[in-house]
Amino acid sequence: MQDKLLFFPPSLPDESLISRVSRYHLISGNRTEQSTFGELCSRVRLNLGSVVPAYIEVLAARLPGDADANLAKILQDNTLLPAFRPFLGRPNAPLPSAGETDVNAKITHFPRHVVGMVGNAKLCISCVVDDEQIHGVGYWHRSHQMPGVTVCWKHKELLISSCQNCRFPFLRPQKLLSVPWGACPVCSIHLEKKKQDEVANPFEIAYGLFARELLAENIPPYHPEILMNAYREKIRQRGYSRGSMPALQDFQASMIDELGCEFISKVDPAFSMKRASWWLRLSYIESALDMPITRHIILGMYLFGTAHNFHNHLQVLANEDDAIARKKGKKSDSSQNSIRDEFRRKIASALKKVPSLSMEQLWKKQFRTVAWLYDNDKEWLNNTVLGGDAKTDDFAVGAKSKSDDVLDREYALLAEDYSRKLFEEEGKPQRIGMAKILAGVTKNIKSTKANRERFPILFATIDLCKETAWCFSARRILWALGELNRLDEKIIISNIALTSVVIFSAVESILRFADWDAKKISSTKINTQALLAKAGITRTWRGPSESKLGEFGGRGYVRKNVVITCI
């Protein structure tokens, strides 16, 4: 068992954890930051700039008193967790209370689509001056570190994240902070209060205030359905609705127009990079809505005004859901059984009339019935319907109409033409795969076994037209040569690999096979199609014959099952 710490600076109001640890480092007189990390968390390196830093349970165990209580207090008072908690409720798991202290239930890996941007340490000099007068020492406020916050909610001044003189960033990875207690480590100049010429945007002030209230309100985690319903209800109340659903795109355009692109670009990185298509997405992935916390704060500020109103509205919806769930729970088993028997009879009757019915056809004909059985009696449904899919597919092939043959040929011609256009497009290459070709031909056909048998010519054409990884890599290399020349970068293999995102050995193999002089090609206007044709590289090129790499993949990776632990 590790020894308890002799002292650790008590938390000041709204102080971030990295501020407390940095103050400990200065007070303890440790010569290196590694020594401090070792004393506190038994680690040589530690990143304290994340939402909830790792290994803080080790620090909690070393503080005087109960380890669980210490951990709960650090999470509540010194991390950004209280602001993120409302947006991390898991849809299929019971939600732990806000005071839950089991370390296994703590969040250490946040979904990237929720976190947004973190990594800078932001400081308000007026707050530092006030804190020195009130507490005897300046420190880093937690509310200033919230993603998207650019202005101090209290003093309405712009926050700074680097030295006023040399622009050296305050926070670096796995390092502690040295200001405002000491001078800049580069230019040795202390911070000073300066008059700011730039006037803070009122919306930036409101955003910072809502973020600060969100930290203080201590909102528990809510099911993403409740969050979606809260947003939808408020959007409909403002008159943006189409039937029972909110007119989300119209509301988005109106909100952007009212708040202004300049403000939203400052707080939301995606918007600043012109990724505004479906910017508001009221759908969830695994455990949370598919939006970063910056967008939640903008929506909450715009729709509810204060975090307290936001909390109250969520609680009302949660209470209504509980009442509905209790009411549903009173249904007797006999009632459920009677519904199940009735729906089973409907499916059995439909299959008796047309034994070749597939699951897809049943969904179209008996949607409500199939939906209920899928949720409540899936095993019976699978055994009854899915067991006959092979017969259904055979029937569908045998009974294929003449119109399908005509469509098959038409789609095949469209696929060939569309894939050729994609291949000849200028600019940054996009790999020509089956999904991209199908999407360009028709959105009604997916790559399934039944469709492959229904449209054999189409899928055979796609197999011939889709691009191999080797061909795509060759196109990326030629594009990278043009980019390196435009940016006036050195034409060497490592730079080509870095820009093209093609592995080093593959770049060497392709250049050697095609006999391309990289420096010579980059110095002239690159005709991609001519260079590929001269080298004998087509869309189906399987790579250099001497290569031992085979058909390699790209660097993209999507996890199929994401396991997220929530508080």
Side-chain angles (χ1 to χ4, degrees), residues 7 9 19-30 36 137-138 140 176-182:
F7 79 97
S19 179
R20 287 185 71 185
V21 174
S22 297
R23 288 200 294 122
Y24 171 83
H25 176 70
L26 294 171
I27 296 170
S28 65
N30 287 333
T36 296
V137 62
W140 296 78
L176 293 174
L177 299 165
S178 58
V179 294
W181 313 287

Side-chain angles (χ1 to χ4, degrees), residues 412 415-417 419-420 423 432-433 437 460-468 539-540:
E416 185 176 357
D417 184 58
S419 61
R420 184 177 63 256
F423 190 68
I432 307 167
I437 297 173
T461 302
I462 291 175
D463 288 337
L464 291 174
C465 292
K466 66 183 182 181
E467 186 178 25
T468 64
R539 275 172 281 176
T540 56

Side-chain angles (χ1 to χ4, degrees), residues 541-553:
W541 183 51
R542 309 303 295 180
S545 57
E546 75 276 8
S547 174
K548 297 181 181 179
L549 298 175
E551 176 72 6
F552 61 91

Side-chain angles (χ1 to χ4, degrees), residues 272-391:
S272 66
M273 291 186 285
K274 311 299 182 186
R275 297 207 299 264
S277 178
W278 294 103
W279 182 64
L280 295 181
R281 298 185 296 274
L282 299 186
S283 59
Y284 59 85
I285 299 176
E286 289 294 333
S287 68
L289 287 186
D290 187 20
M291 292 194 301
I293 195 172
T294 51
R295 246 160 277 172
H296 283 290
I297 296 176
I298 293 172
L299 265 178
M301 173 193 76
Y302 188 73
L303 294 174
F304 300 94
T306 67
H308 184 68
N309 292 340
F310 179 50
H311 187 186
N312 286 343
H313 195 80
L314 291 175
Q315 191 56 51
V316 169
L317 292 180
N319 292 338
E320 290 176 359
D321 278 7
D322 289 343
I324 293 171
R326 285 195 298 270
K327 192 172 181 181
K328 286 182 177 179
K330 293 179 181 178
K331 287 187 177 181
S332 63
D333 291 339
S334 60
S335 174
Q336 291 289 328
N337 291 338
S338 64
I339 295 172
R340 181 199 64 194
D341 294 340
E342 180 187 351
F343 286 163
R344 281 185 177 184
R345 279 194 297 270
K346 285 186 177 182
I347 297 298
S349 176
L351 290 173
K352 188 175 181 180
K353 292 176 183 177
V354 185
S356 60
L357 279 176
S358 67
M359 179 66 81
E360 183 178 354
Q361 291 167 322
L362 279 172
W363 273 106
K364 293 178 180 178
K365 292 177 178 293
Q366 305 269 3
F367 178 82
R368 180 168 173 266
T369 302
V370 177
W372 191 94
L373 289 171
Y374 190 86
D375 289 337
N376 301 281
D377 199 13
K378 190 174 181 179
E379 185 177 353
W380 180 88
L381 186 66
N382 288 340
N383 292 335
T384 305
V385 182
L386 296 183
D389 266 1
K391 293 186 296 180

Side-chain angles (χ1 to χ4, degrees), residues 24 46 59 113 252 265 309 329 405 413 444 465 521:
Y24 171 83
L46 200 61
L59 170 61
H113 59 274
Q252 174 181 307
S265 296
N309 292 340
D405 290 327
L413 290 173
N444 299 324
C465 292
I521 290 174

Side-chain angles (χ1 to χ4, degrees), residues 96-363:
S97 64
E100 175 68 55
T101 58
D102 180 7
V103 69
N104 294 322
K106 299 295 172 272
I107 302 173
T108 55
H109 300 287
F110 286 76
R112 289 187 64 185
H113 59 274
V114 177
V115 174
M117 53 180 180
V118 291
N120 286 333
K122 294 168 284 187
L123 189 69
C124 171
I125 299 183
S126 292
C127 283
V128 172
V129 173
D130 289 352
D131 294 335
E132 287 176 347
Q133 293 175 351
I134 298 171
H135 305 288
V137 62
Y139 60 93
W140 296 78
H141 284 255
R142 179 178 55 156
S143 56
H144 294 160
Q145 315 313 318
M146 283 287 291
V149 171
T150 56
V151 174
C152 174
W153 62 271
K154 183 178 180 181
H155 297 99
K156 301 175 178 53
E157 296 178 2
L158 299 177
L159 302 175
I160 62 173
S161 57
S162 60
C163 174
Q164 298 162 300
N165 180 54
C166 67
R167 298 304 174 192
F168 184 73
F170 293 138
L171 180 64
R172 291 179 295 150
Q174 300 180 349
K175 295 289 184 180
L176 293 174
L177 299 165
S178 58
V179 294
W181 313 287
C184 171
V186 174
C187 65
S188 301
I189 293 179
H190 288 268
L191 293 177
E192 60 178 327
K193 179 85 167 132
K194 292 181 179 180
K195 183 179 179 181
Q196 294 186 351
D197 296 328
E198 187 177 350
V199 179
N201 186 315
F203 292 124
E204 293 181 62
I205 299 170
Y207 180 96
L209 181 59
F210 190 91
R212 185 254 179 185
E213 292 173 348
L214 202 58
L215 282 165
E217 187 66 23
N218 193 25
I219 305 175
Y222 281 98
H223 193 292
E225 288 283 354
I226 293 176
L227 286 169
M228 283 194 294
N229 291 336
Y231 293 144
R232 286 171 176 169
E233 184 178 314
K234 283 293 184 180
I235 291 171
R236 286 196 300 267
Q237 287 177 4
R238 289 177 176 250
Y240 298 95
S241 61
R242 288 177 182 161
S244 61
M245 296 299 291
L248 198 59
Q249 291 302 299
D250 294 340
F251 168 75
Q252 174 181 307
S254 174
M255 186 178 73
I256 291 173
D257 183 61
E258 185 173 342
L259 296 179
C261 293
E262 183 182 357
F263 157 67
I264 299 177
S265 296
K266 282 186 178 180
V267 302
D268 192 280
F271 191 89
S272 66
M273 291 186 285
K274 311 299 182 186
R275 297 207 299 264
S277 178
W278 294 103
W279 182 64
L280 295 181
R281 298 185 296 274
L282 299 186
S283 59
Y284 59 85
I285 299 176
E286 289 294 333
S287 68
L289 287 186
D290 187 20
M291 292 194 301
I293 195 172
T294 51
R295 246 160 277 172
H296 283 290
I297 296 176
I298 293 172
L299 265 178
M301 173 193 76
Y302 188 73
L303 294 174
F304 300 94
T306 67
H308 184 68
N309 292 340
F310 179 50
H311 187 186
N312 286 343
H313 195 80
L314 291 175
Q315 191 56 51
V316 169
L317 292 180
N319 292 338
E320 290 176 359
D321 278 7
D322 289 343
I324 293 171
R326 285 195 298 270
K327 192 172 181 181
K328 286 182 177 179
K330 293 179 181 178
K331 287 187 177 181
S332 63
D333 291 339
S334 60
S335 174
Q336 291 289 328
N337 291 338
S338 64
I339 295 172
R340 181 199 64 194
D341 294 340
E342 180 187 351
F343 286 163
R344 281 185 177 184
R345 279 194 297 270
K346 285 186 177 182
I347 297 298
S349 176
L351 290 173
K352 188 175 181 180
K353 292 176 183 177
V354 185
S356 60
L357 279 176
S358 67
M359 179 66 81
E360 183 178 354
Q361 291 167 322
L362 279 172
W363 273 106

Side-chain angles (χ1 to χ4, degrees), residues 508-527:
E508 286 186 318
S509 297
I510 292 171
L511 291 177
R512 185 167 56 250
F513 171 85
D515 195 22
W516 287 338
D517 185 334
K519 292 183 180 179
K520 185 178 179 180
I521 290 174
S522 64
S523 63
T524 60
K525 185 177 180 180
I526 298 175
N527 188 332

